[in-house]
Amino acid sequence: MAHVEFLDETMRDGQQSLWGMRMQAGMALPVSPLIDRTGFRVIDLAGSSLMEVLIKHAQENPWEGLDLLVNSMPRTRLRGGMRSNASVTFGVTPDSLMDLWMRQLNEHGIRSFWIYDVLYNIDKIHRLAKVAKEYGSEVAGSIMFVQSPVHTDAYFAEKAGQMAASPDIDTILLYDTAGVLEKERLKTLVPAIQKAIKGKPMEFHANNILGLSGKAYLDAVELGVTILHTASRPMANGPSVPSTESVVKNLETLGHTHSLNKSLFKPVEDHFRAVGHAAGFLVDQHNEYDVLAVHHQIPGGMTGTLKAQLAQHNMMDRLDDVLEETARVRRELGYPGMATPFSQLVGTLAVLNVVTGKRYSVIPDEVIQYAAGYYGETVAPIEGNVLDQIMTSSRAREVLASPPPQPSIEDLQKQYGTTDPDELILRALVPEPALARMRAAGPVRQDFPLLSSPELDQVRKLMKLASVPAVQIRSAQMNLSLRREA
């Protein structure tokens, strides 16, 4: 039997997948000390996209909120996520800014990192890992699982071995964004990776989009994986990872051991369920099996983005067409891994193909950059006719004439008018008007009003449906006036 360690995803992947990264610090602070005492190996917490969303949608200073959360969890190592060559942008971020981003997360108390790149720019992964080691931080090199004819066990094992060859990589993280891994593939893939990484521990993260990932976790443990990524039940399942509660119960039933304090599960679960209901966010999700998802492999959070794009064109009835087109575009573009940025690029291109009715008539700049190799070498060649259409598109000449620059930190300090590293990162990530609104909003709130009742739930639904600025309801028992702020 195995002793299994757990990495908590409640405040990172859970809220990213279900809440669109809109978890403010005050939503978690009442129970973050409980999560800290639960016995997790690591607690996942930070990412660049989270910071952008907090600034733009919650007017919250992400550095201030991060400090509050870090200080509330002194017992457990906290994790941040990094794409090797970019932060918020779907383009390419200068190496100097990526190094600064890594250093500042460490300065704010993050001491564990997962670094990924679906095109496997190994040199960039190793460079960032070396920066993390300046602070003694733990680093997980990530294998982003993709199901395609070119993503073989040998391919993944080679990449894992190249990452693990660096003494700065401590663990290898097998990350299944589409939740498609089943026992048959795990039985060949996991041993191949284990052989290549020569004894370094393996982590496993699988989003439960198809409802298969809880079983995949048990199969992975039988094969020697010792670290599993889970989330508190309200923040788990659906497009998120399996719940800590269910995985612990299943492991115990099979005779495996762990070090988690189960008595702390319930208060954390109750809190996030109440916050989710009060904020109007998703909780307690479950997905049904959809074989089409195996072909397009769109991460759960991207499905919402595709729906929003189609809604803008009043074409919600074309969602299945877009999903099928996504699978086709993914194949034509050489099977890029369906994680940021390529899940967004492939999905957006599929929407454009369906909406315009003429495939590849509109091609985003980032797709041109991908075809030009700015993100790295493609896994498989782009189909010839598609590559021709991309490289002869109206924007191609201009994009190809402006490869991503690599300014120094001094150049960036001059460009953004500050030598303060926290401020420099914010100015590089987010436009100034959004930063101004954030500053005007004042200090980060350290609590969140848990106002919820059947009546208030009905009011929230009414305001979502109402298209007029004011609504008044009168009855014998109630006189209610609602006015939407400008």
Side-chain angles (χ1 to χ4, degrees):
M1 294 299 103
H3 183 78
V4 180
E5 297 181 288
F6 283 79
L7 183 146
D8 181 67
E9 288 286 2
T10 303
M11 295 178 285
R12 205 283 296 173
D13 192 63
Q15 69 97 6
Q16 176 179 345
S17 297
L18 302 183
W19 293 7
M21 290 188 169
R22 299 192 185 196
M23 187 195 80
Q24 298 166 244
M27 294 176 172
L29 281 168
V31 293
S32 55
L34 299 182
I35 300 174
D36 185 39
R37 298 204 303 271
T38 300
F40 290 105
R41 182 183 190 275
V42 174
I43 297 170
D44 202 359
L45 191 63
S48 61
S49 296
L50 169 63
M51 301 185 91
E52 178 198 31
V53 171
L54 285 175
I55 293 168
K56 289 184 175 180
H57 296 284
Q59 291 76 53
E60 179 167 295
N61 187 317
W63 291 123
E64 184 183 343
L66 180 61
D67 288 342
L68 288 167
L69 288 167
V70 168
N71 291 334
S72 74
M73 295 182 285
R75 303 181 181 204
T76 311
R77 193 187 292 263
L78 306 178
R79 175 169 286 190
M82 301 192 74
R83 185 157 33 114
S84 78
N85 58 1
S87 52
V88 168
T89 175
F90 292 152
V92 177
T93 299
D95 291 348
S96 59
L97 191 60
M98 293 302 299
D99 291 350
L100 180 65
W101 170 236
M102 173 63 84
R103 289 193 174 95
Q104 288 313 109
L105 285 176
N106 276 280
E107 291 287 346
H108 284 267
I110 302 299
R111 286 294 183 273
S112 177
F113 295 88
W114 67 286
I115 306 174
Y116 81 95
D117 186 329
V118 295
L119 296 184
Y120 296 100
N121 291 283
I122 302 294
D123 57 333
K124 292 182 181 290
I125 293 173
H126 284 168
R127 193 196 74 248
L128 286 171
K130 189 174 293 294
V131 175
K133 287 302 178 185
E134 295 173 6
Y135 297 83
S137 291
E138 172 190 69
V139 179
S142 304
I143 294 294
M144 308 301 289
F145 180 76
V146 179
Q147 197 160 282
S148 83
V150 294
H151 288 89
T152 62
D153 292 353
Y155 174 87
F156 288 125
E158 179 188 7
K159 300 304 181 185
Q162 290 173 357
M163 280 190 281
S166 168
D168 300 323
I169 299 294
D170 301 288
T171 67
I172 293 297
L173 166 59
L174 176 58
Y175 201 117
D176 181 10
T177 59
V180 295
L181 272 169
E182 298 185 66
K183 187 171 185 176
E184 182 178 0
R185 183 66 188 273
L186 285 167
K187 284 196 302 184
T188 60
L189 176 62
V190 171
I193 292 174
Q194 287 172 329
K195 182 179 179 181
I197 64 179
K198 295 180 170 60
K200 291 190 174 182
M202 273 189 73
E203 307 180 28
F204 189 25
H205 178 119
N207 294 92
N208 205 16
I209 295 171
L210 299 180
L212 302 173
S213 298
K215 175 63 165 58
Y217 277 13
L218 303 181
D219 296 332
V221 169
E222 296 291 341
L223 293 165
V225 173
T226 56
I227 305 166
L228 301 178
H229 293 202
T230 58
S232 178
R233 178 166 280 124
M235 311 298 289
N237 298 313
S240 181
V241 289
S243 73
T244 306
E245 294 87 344
S246 67
V247 175
V248 164
K249 180 180 178 181
N250 289 333
L251 288 172
E252 289 179 343
T253 300
L254 294 174
H256 302 296
T257 59
H258 61 86
S259 300
L260 298 184
N261 182 348
K262 295 191 296 182
S263 69
L264 298 176
F265 290 179
K266 189 65 163 61
V268 172
E269 176 183 341
D270 290 344
H271 172 79
F272 280 108
R273 183 173 292 111
V275 170
H277 284 311
F281 294 149
L282 295 176
V283 292
D284 297 311
Q285 294 298 291
H286 296 279
N287 281 359
E288 294 182 331
Y289 186 83
D290 180 1
V291 72
L292 180 57
V294 178
H295 297 286
H296 61 65
Q297 295 183 45
I298 295 173
M302 254 309 286
T303 304
T305 302
L306 295 181
K307 290 179 179 178
Q309 292 173 338
L310 288 173
Q312 293 175 356
H313 298 279
N314 295 317
M315 297 177 69
M316 278 297 294
D317 59 315
R318 302 293 303 278
L319 179 60
D320 283 348
D321 294 337
V322 167
L323 295 178
E324 291 176 3
E325 178 66 12
T326 298
R328 184 178 177 186
V329 169
R330 176 173 165 263
R331 182 186 69 249
E332 293 169 340
L333 292 185
Y335 295 103
M338 293 300 281
T340 301
F342 302 119
S343 56
Q344 290 86 348
L345 298 187
V346 172
T348 298
L349 191 50
V351 170
L352 291 170
N353 287 351
V354 170
V355 168
T356 61
K358 184 178 180 182
R359 304 186 75 240
Y360 297 103
S361 61
V362 179
I363 299 175
D365 289 358
E366 291 82 4
V367 174
I368 302 170
Q369 292 177 331
Y370 166 74
Y374 292 168
Y375 292 96
E377 184 179 352
T378 60
V379 180
I382 299 172
E383 291 188 7
N385 63 322
V386 172
L387 182 61
D388 288 343
Q389 288 177 276
I390 293 172
M391 291 310 190
T392 58
S393 61
S394 60
R395 291 277 302 152
R397 178 174 295 183
E398 184 175 346
V399 171
L400 295 175
S402 303
Q406 287 290 350
S408 66
I409 282 296
E410 292 74 21
D411 294 332
L412 292 169
Q413 289 171 342
K414 291 178 182 177
Q415 179 180 348
Y416 293 105
T418 182
T419 58
D420 178 85
D422 285 356
E423 183 67 16
L424 176 58
I425 289 170
L426 294 186
R427 293 184 187 183
L429 293 180
V430 180
E432 180 55 38
L435 292 175
R437 290 191 293 272
M438 175 199 78
R439 296 186 186 101
V444 171
R445 290 189 58 172
Q446 298 190 36
D447 58 4
F448 185 80
L450 296 177
L451 298 175
S452 186
S453 68
E455 293 79 14
L456 285 173
D457 289 342
Q458 290 301 317
V459 168
R460 270 190 288 272
K461 291 178 182 178
L462 177 61
M463 289 308 292
K464 287 182 179 180
L465 293 173
S467 59
V468 293
V471 175
Q472 188 171 43
I473 304 172
R474 288 184 179 178
S475 70
Q477 293 81 26
M478 179 177 64
N479 187 347
L480 173 67
S481 295
L482 300 172
R483 185 173 298 277
R484 194 184 304 277
E485 292 183 1

